[in-house]
Amino acid sequence: MSGPADGQVGPVTRAVLAGAGTVRDDRDLAERVCRACLTGQDVDGAALMLRPASVAREMLWASDGTATLLDDLEFSLGEGACTEAAASGRPVLVPDVCDTADACRWPVFAAAVVERTPARALFALPLQWGPVNLGVLHLYRRTPGSLPPDQCRDALRAASAATSMMLGSHTDPGDGPWLDPAIGNRAEVHQATGMVLAQLGISATEALARMRAYAFSEQRLLTDVAHDIVCRRLRFTPDPSSFD
């Protein structure tokens, strides 16, 4: 399968972005991302889960029983490609689970994958925004082999787009578990954005993204986080992994 040159938007990312205005919720977004990967990547299965490194791990969508079983094995054994990707914030690409060099970090999980599933190559791509990990996009293939570089870039960009969309849906004023319907509170969000901008020396867009990431990680309303910043109870430091 031929793909786009570096710098161009690949078919998976294009499909994810095309549906940005019509996504209903996290599960709908997860299904769209996974289906786009199945169509545009040399993979046999896909899944997207939230918080894979915690006990609150939640499967949003899986393409088939193998994808579900791979997640169940990781949850049961406490190790695997997705768990490592979530903890490190970096992609974990395993071209061959039968290769000791590839799977030596989690031999029990690798052995279980070979024994109980047809998967022979695993690709775990974190949904990462600064210090916050929202989840992992997990792709598998029945035959060993690496993802072509253009497909890997495309999948990473699609995961990044999905991360941004998910953060936005959870922290913009509106309806939802962590959302604040009080539109009038937006003025304080703007004020807090300016304060974070000054604290970190970054753009307004980046400052708002940091605030959203913090709100998501703490499961708080963006407006409440903004209020704490304005009241100087919360200060962001130049290190994106630390907050005062």
Side-chain angles (χ1 to χ4, degrees), residues 117-137:
T117 82
R120 292 300 175 264
L122 306 174
F123 312 104
L125 312 177
L127 275 63
Q128 193 79 16
W129 191 283
V132 178
N133 177 269
L134 279 66
V136 171
L137 171 62

Side-chain angles (χ1 to χ4, degrees), residues 1-6 10-11 41 147-155 157:
M1 178 184 298
S2 60
D6 191 16
Q41 306 272 300
L147 274 181
D150 59 331
Q151 292 189 23
C152 190
R153 286 192 295 268
D154 189 15
R157 288 169 181 160

